[in-house]
């Protein structure tokens, strides 16, 4: 790849240490575990605390004996005061702060002079600010923050280079004779590594300039002036800068913490630990070069005030070639998801393991597939756990990176439909509100197959669809039998049911209707797999019923079958709303991902056939451009676990017929809708995660609708949420908050009350 060659030219004179070069001697040459005390460098949080101690001690000029006492006493103090579980709940800064304060307490215990203690306290304050200066700039708009982060990172790299130069010219004597022989070689390697970091920083900074420029405040780029968008993540360029900022923050903090490891008792551990962390940062920085370079080329090929997507077929940005040209090694495995908060990273790590497990299990016979999947899940999960402890396992380092597991429909469906497994469905029901009505039924279509619908209501509505039900698919939940059954098992559960049953409004028709379309890439999932957040919506918006459509899936059924099926389901619902238990005085269309695409297409079908429009449309991370055109956010698909490039491509090829052109069909790609269609669009709200390959679909759609004269089109982004975040409602608080925001918007459009229901 040409840009990789440019990067290599910048660092051609840098020699990277090999694994052999990093070997520091025979095991017998090193201190034993008992001599070293606790092996602090196998536990990242305790390591952070110890680094804080050493950084403080290195600035105080106390004797070697006092320093050793401080190290031993402070480590014991920390270990006794905080369990690993308690430390695991702290941020890095909080942990380091504990380390500083404990070091000060130990110094006081040594009965040093008050002047020395005062100087130490001032040094602690200064060093804490020095170690974590980026917290303040992270609150700035991304374009400004990234510029400052580059400066901080380059300064820290220069300081490390100067340090190595200084240590090379100063003869030090370590406790280990072997270190006296090996340290010059180590220092040379360390200096070369920091020079490589500096050179790569320069390369990334250079290619990032078009992105920084396009994201600056006051630019005319699409997304800049959409009022409800987050003040930082306004489009895919901001998302890329957010990721770059997190990478620079991590690298700068590692460099600055490492600068505090000038302690002759830990020469060996210092270099080994320092080298492995910075080597990973360097690999990620090199990968970021390719990603940022590609995005900068996109920025140069678009008219940013009109579109975020590259039109036509520029040879230099052909999607498949671009995917192959971006080397994302170092973005997965142990260091996957560095740009996510830890709680999101944990969830996505599990998703990566699930993808790997389903890919391996797909070759098993159907009868043995579940057993095979569980076996692989345990295997890969343990691999990752061991890798997190510092044991280098090659397979674990690549988990999530091998996208061969979504090359077939069978593989992709096995992965996507795991959420429909009975155990997971039962688990989501436990953690979400229990609706009074949750029934599936079939509706006859003229000259077509039946369509499957699902009725969800938090209140007991007088519905009369029993004649349409298939007995094997549902069980009528009569109150009398319900009371009898639950009174035997759980009186508290019975009380909750009675509370719902006795509320005002029970046995009356709801005033409003929510018409819902689930996601799943057009090839998988169902209304059941999306039940966790649907049940929350039903509890929050009680004067409504929800109808969710289980449309036929691709590739067995291709476009426009699904859109026609959804349209006929909606017209049937309008004709039979009384049977379903609602007056349908107001209606809202809702959809996520592929369902968001169908929801917008449904609006356009209603416009085309003069059918009643909804009073509002609420979408979550919709797919609104079904071409493979690149944009800044689409570049994220090269290393995204929820919507990887190969899965996106597979879903689109399965859904779109060979003779269809999604760039010329606004029912397929609504962002290409003409203004005369968009000007009649009902109020539209879109909710999206900032780190989502489909973010630019949402931004572009809102821009186009507003340009057509609809100032009521709104977009809200969530900086730390990925694609598919509604599926994380039971386990992620930020996703639950986003779901509540969506519920409030639906209630606003319906003109009904939002109930702050606690499940």
């Amino acid at each position: 790849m040409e840009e990789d060659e440019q990067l290599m030219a910048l660092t051609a004179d840098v020699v990277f240490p090999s694994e052999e070069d990093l070997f520091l001697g025979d095991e017998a040459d090193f201190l034993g575990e008992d001599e070293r005390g606790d092996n602090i460098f196998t536990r990242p949080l305790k390591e952070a605390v110890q680094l804080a101690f050493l950084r403080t001690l290195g600035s105080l000029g106390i004797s070697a004996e006092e320093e050793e006492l401080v190290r031993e006493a402070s480590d014991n103090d920390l270990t006794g005061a905080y369990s690993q579980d308690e430390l695991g709940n702290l941020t890095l800064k909080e942990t380091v702060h504990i380390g500083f304060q404990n070091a000060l307490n130990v110094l006081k215990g040594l009965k040093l002079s008050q002047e020395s203690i005062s100087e130490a306290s001032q040094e602690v304050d200064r060093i804490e600010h020095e170690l974590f200066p980026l917290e303040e700039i992270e609150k700035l708009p991304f374009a400004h923050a990234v510029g400052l982060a580059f400066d901080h990172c380059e300064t820290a790299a220069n300081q490390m280079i100067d340090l190595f130069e200084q240590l090379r010219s100063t003869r030090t004597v370590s406790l280990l004779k072997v270190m006296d022989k090996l340290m010059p070689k180590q220092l040379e390697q360390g200096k070369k590594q920091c020079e490589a970091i500096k050179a790569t920083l320069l390369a990334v900074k250079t290619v990032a300039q078009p992105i920084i420029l396009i994201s600056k405040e006051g630019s005319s780029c699409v997304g800049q002036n959409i009022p409800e968008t987050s003040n930082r993540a306004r489009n895919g360029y901001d998302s890329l800068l957010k990721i770059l900022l997190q990478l620079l923050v991590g690298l700068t903090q590692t460099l600055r913490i490492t600068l505090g490891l000038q302690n002759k008792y830990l020469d060996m551990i210092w270099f080994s630990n320092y080298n492995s962390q910075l080597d990973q940062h360097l690999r990620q920085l090199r990968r970021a070069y390719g990603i940022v370079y590609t995005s900068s080329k996109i920025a140069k090929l678009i008219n940013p005030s009109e579109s975020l997507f590259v039109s036509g077929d520029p040879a230099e940005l052909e999607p498949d070639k671009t995917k192959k040209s971006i080397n994302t090694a170092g973005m997965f495995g142990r260091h996957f998801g560095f740009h996510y908060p830890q709680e999101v990273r944990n969830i996505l790590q599990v998703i990566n393991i699930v993808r790997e497990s389903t890919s391996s299990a797909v070759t098993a016979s159907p009868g043995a597939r579940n057993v095979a999947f569980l076996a692989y899940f345990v295997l890969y999960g343990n691999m990752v756990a061991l890798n997190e402890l510092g044991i280098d396992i090659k397979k674990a380092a690549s988990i999530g990176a091998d996208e061969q597991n979504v090359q077939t429909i069978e593989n992709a469906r096995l992965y996507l439909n795991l959420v429909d497994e009975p155990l997971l469905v039962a688990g989501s029901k436990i953690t979400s509100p229990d609706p009074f009505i949750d029934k599936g039924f079939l509706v006859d279509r003229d000259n077509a197959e039946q369509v499957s619908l699902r009725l969800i209501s938090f209140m007991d509505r007088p519905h009369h669809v029993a004649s349409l039900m298939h007995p094997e698919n549902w069980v009528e939940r009569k109150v009398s039998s319900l009371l009898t059954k639950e009174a035997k098992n759980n009186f508290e559960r019975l009380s909750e049911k009675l509370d719902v049953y006795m509320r005002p409004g029970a046995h009356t028709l709801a005033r409003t209707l929510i018409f819902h379309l689930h996601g799943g890439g057009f090839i998988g999932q169902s209304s059941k797999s999306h039940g966790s957040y649907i049940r929350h919506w039903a509890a929050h918006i009680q004067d409504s019923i929800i109808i969710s459509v289980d449309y036929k899936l691709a590739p067995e059924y291709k476009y426009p079958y699904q859109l026609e099926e959804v349209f006929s389901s909606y017209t049937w619902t309008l004709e039979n709303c009384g049977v379903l238990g609602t007056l349908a005085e107001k209606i809202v269309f809702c959809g996520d991902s592929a369902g968001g695409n169908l929801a917008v297409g449904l609006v356009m079908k209603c416009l085309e056939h003069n059918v009643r429009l909804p009073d509002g449309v609420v979408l979550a991370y919709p797919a609104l451009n079904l071409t493979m055109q690149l944009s800044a956010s689409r570049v994220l698909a090269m290393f995204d676990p929820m919507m990887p490039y190969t899965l996106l491509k597979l879903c689109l090829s399965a859904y779109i017929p060979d003779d269809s052109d999604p760039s010329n069909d606004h029912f397929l790609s609504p962002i290409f809708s003409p203004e005369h269609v968009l000007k009649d669009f009902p109020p539209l709200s879109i909710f999206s995660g900032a780190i989502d390959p489909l973010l630019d679909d949402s931004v572009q759609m809102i821009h186009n609708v507003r340009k057509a004269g609809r100032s009521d089109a709104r977009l809200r982004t969530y900086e730390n949420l990925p694609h598919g975040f509604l599926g994380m409602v039971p386990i992620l608080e930020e996703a639950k908050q986003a779901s509540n925001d969506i519920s409030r918007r639906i209630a606003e459009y319906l003109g009904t009350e939002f109930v702050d229901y606690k499940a």
Side-chain angles (χ1 to χ4, degrees), residues 645-672:
Y645 172 82
T646 50
L647 178 59
L648 177 62
K649 182 180 178 182
L650 181 72
C651 291
L652 297 186
S653 63
Y655 178 62
I656 303 170
D658 293 338
D659 58 353
S660 294
D661 180 3
S663 65
N664 287 317
D665 185 344
H666 61 271
F667 287 99
L668 265 174
S669 296
I671 70 163
F672 299 119

Side-chain angles (χ1 to χ4, degrees), residues 31-105:
L31 290 171
E33 190 71 20
D34 292 338
E35 296 173 273
R36 270 194 261 170
D38 187 18
N39 186 6
I40 59 172
F41 290 93
T42 63
R43 297 183 182 275
L45 285 170
K46 292 189 71 178
E47 168 192 282
V49 177
Q50 191 71 7
L51 297 183
F53 292 157
L54 296 175
R55 184 66 179 92
T56 307
L57 298 177
S59 66
L60 293 180
I62 60 179
S63 69
E65 291 77 16
E66 289 174 327
E67 183 176 332
E68 185 67 15
L69 285 172
V70 172
R71 289 201 310 108
E72 292 177 359
S74 57
D75 191 42
N76 292 336
D77 179 48
L78 176 76
T79 319
Y82 297 92
S83 68
Q84 275 298 311
D85 288 339
E86 289 172 321
L87 284 176
N89 293 325
L90 301 177
T91 65
L92 178 61
K93 184 174 183 181
E94 289 170 336
T95 311
V96 172
H97 180 74
I98 290 171
F100 279 131
Q101 297 308 312
N102 282 0
L104 283 177
N105 291 336

Side-chain angles (χ1 to χ4, degrees), residues 2-41:
E2 182 181 349
E3 51 267 34
D4 273 349
E5 292 173 0
Q6 294 171 358
L7 174 61
M8 292 304 295
L10 285 168
T11 57
D13 60 336
V14 177
V15 179
F16 295 96
S18 66
E19 291 183 5
E20 292 77 12
D21 291 332
L22 294 178
F23 182 65
L24 302 180
D26 294 329
E27 187 175 349
D29 294 328
F30 301 121
L31 290 171
E33 190 71 20
D34 292 338
E35 296 173 273
R36 270 194 261 170
D38 187 18
N39 186 6
I40 59 172
F41 290 93

Side-chain angles (χ1 to χ4, degrees), residues 647-704:
L647 178 59
L648 177 62
K649 182 180 178 182
L650 181 72
C651 291
L652 297 186
S653 63
Y655 178 62
I656 303 170
D658 293 338
D659 58 353
S660 294
D661 180 3
S663 65
N664 287 317
D665 185 344
H666 61 271
F667 287 99
L668 265 174
S669 296
I671 70 163
F672 299 119
S673 301
E675 283 194 14
H676 73 268
V677 172
L678 296 180
K679 72 179 180 63
D680 294 326
F681 216 82
L684 171 66
S685 287
I686 302 181
F687 297 78
S688 180
I691 311 179
D692 181 350
L694 300 186
L695 172 62
D696 285 340
D697 294 40
S698 299
V699 178
Q700 189 70 55
M701 185 67 185
I702 294 296
H703 171 83
N704 293 352

Side-chain angles (χ1 to χ4, degrees), residues 380-396:
Y380 295 137
N382 283 319
M383 277 186 184
V384 171
L386 291 173
N387 210 41
E388 289 285 355
L389 293 176
I391 300 175
D392 186 19
I393 302 176
K394 186 175 181 180
K395 179 66 177 176

Side-chain angles (χ1 to χ4, degrees), residues 397-678:
S398 64
I399 286 179
D402 182 11
E403 294 176 358
Q404 296 302 314
N405 51 13
V406 292
Q407 287 293 334
T408 68
I409 292 293
E410 184 182 21
N411 288 31
R413 275 186 174 164
L414 185 61
Y415 162 61
L416 290 170
N417 290 340
L418 280 175
V419 290
D420 274 336
E421 289 295 316
L423 185 61
L424 291 179
V425 171
S428 71
K429 286 184 177 180
I430 292 173
T431 59
S432 60
D434 190 12
F436 204 87
I437 304 168
D438 188 353
K439 296 179 178 177
F441 59 97
L442 298 175
V443 172
D444 291 320
R445 293 179 60 199
D446 294 336
N447 303 317
E449 297 180 61
Q450 290 178 312
V451 57
S452 176
L453 304 182
R454 192 171 201 84
L455 169 63
I456 304 103
S457 175
F458 192 73
M459 306 296 290
D460 184 23
R461 303 297 178 187
H463 54 281
H464 308 287
V465 293
S467 60
L468 300 172
M469 306 288 184
H470 283 224
E472 65 272 18
N473 293 333
W474 66 280
V475 177
E476 181 67 66
R477 299 169 67 179
K478 296 183 182 297
V479 174
S480 58
S481 63
L482 181 68
L483 297 185
T484 302
K485 179 181 179 181
E486 294 202 2
K488 295 177 182 178
N489 301 323
N490 192 326
F491 184 79
E492 184 175 335
R493 189 70 168 168
L494 168 62
S495 300
E496 180 182 320
K497 277 291 182 183
L498 281 172
D499 179 50
V500 175
Y501 180 68
M502 299 297 291
R503 286 178 189 174
H507 292 297
T508 64
L509 294 176
R511 291 191 309 106
T512 63
L513 166 69
I514 300 169
F515 195 77
H516 172 262
L517 303 167
H518 70 81
F522 302 104
I523 65 171
Q525 300 190 350
S526 66
S527 62
K528 184 185 296 183
S529 54
H530 291 244
S532 59
Y533 68 84
I534 293 177
R535 287 189 286 272
H536 277 92
W537 291 0
H540 290 316
I541 310 168
Q542 297 180 5
D543 194 13
S544 190
I545 68 164
I546 300 174
I547 295 294
S548 187
V549 184
D550 281 308
Y551 51 85
K552 307 293 190 304
L553 300 175
E556 292 80 5
Y557 298 85
K558 288 182 174 283
Y559 169 84
Y561 188 95
Q562 290 84 350
L563 185 56
E564 296 292 346
E565 187 177 39
V566 165
F567 180 63
S568 65
S569 300
Y570 176 59
T571 56
W572 181 91
T573 299
L574 289 178
E575 294 167 358
N576 296 275
C577 57
V579 174
L580 298 171
T582 179
L583 297 171
E585 293 176 359
K586 288 194 174 184
I587 300 172
V588 166
F589 290 172
C590 296
D592 68 288
S593 196
N597 176 283
L598 291 172
V600 176
L602 177 58
V603 171
M604 295 175 180
K605 292 290 286 185
C606 292
L607 287 168
E608 183 181 55
H609 294 279
N610 199 28
V611 172
R612 176 182 171 180
L613 289 172
D615 297 275
V617 179
V618 180
L619 311 176
Y621 40 85
L624 300 175
N625 181 356
L626 298 196
T627 72
M628 292 302 294
Q629 292 177 348
L630 287 179
S631 74
S633 75
R634 292 287 179 99
V635 175
L636 300 180
M638 308 307 174
F639 58 96
D640 185 78
M642 297 295 294
M643 183 56 69
Y645 172 82
T646 50
L647 178 59
L648 177 62
K649 182 180 178 182
L650 181 72
C651 291
L652 297 186
S653 63
Y655 178 62
I656 303 170
D658 293 338
D659 58 353
S660 294
D661 180 3
S663 65
N664 287 317
D665 185 344
H666 61 271
F667 287 99
L668 265 174
S669 296
I671 70 163
F672 299 119
S673 301
E675 283 194 14
H676 73 268
V677 172
L678 296 180

